[in-house]
Amino acid sequence: CGPICYGDVATRFYMASLTKNQVDYVTKHAGPVEVDVIRGIKKWIKTSHWGDTRPPSSYLLEVVVIHCSREWVKPQPKFAGKPLPVTPHNKKCLFQRVLTQLAELSCAEIQCEDQAVSKAISKPFVLDPINASNNLLTGFPVELFSWLVGRHEQ
């Protein structure tokens, strides 16, 4: 099984059929803090200049936010199975973690804990939690995030 060819009509129909599952995944795994950070990241992306490059998908951004949140709370037993408490500090910290992850997407290896990485997928990757053969970074110039994050930190 090779990389997904998004130019193929059948592939586009197949991917569209997974949209409800993707929405359900985000709804289930994003608590109030994650939702606020997702909104902030999407606004930042929407107001940034992308030139001729298509901005990243909302779903890619949502998966990255959920991943960053999980990685942040994983070593903290007090948050096990619970949403992050809604505080300005938690929102700011998660937002900063997401920006760091986006700046480092050129070497990303993001997947759900139970997902196996196909040999057809090469780094960098952000695996779709719904379809592990789908690298959400395919065709996206990840180095732009590093530039964009650096520009906004100045």
Side-chain angles (χ1 to χ4, degrees), residues 22-39:
Q22 293 171 339
V23 169
D24 291 346
Y25 173 82
V26 172
T27 301
K28 180 179 177 183
H29 291 93
V33 172
E34 291 85 355
V35 168
D36 281 352
V37 171
I38 287 168
R39 286 183 183 135

Side-chain angles (χ1 to χ4, degrees), residues 56-65 102 105 126 136-137 140 142 145:
S57 71
S58 291
Y59 184 54
L60 167 62
L61 299 171
E62 293 160 352
V63 170
V64 170
V65 170
L102 291 174
L105 272 184
V126 175
L136 298 174
L137 296 179
F140 185 77
V142 294
F145 270 122

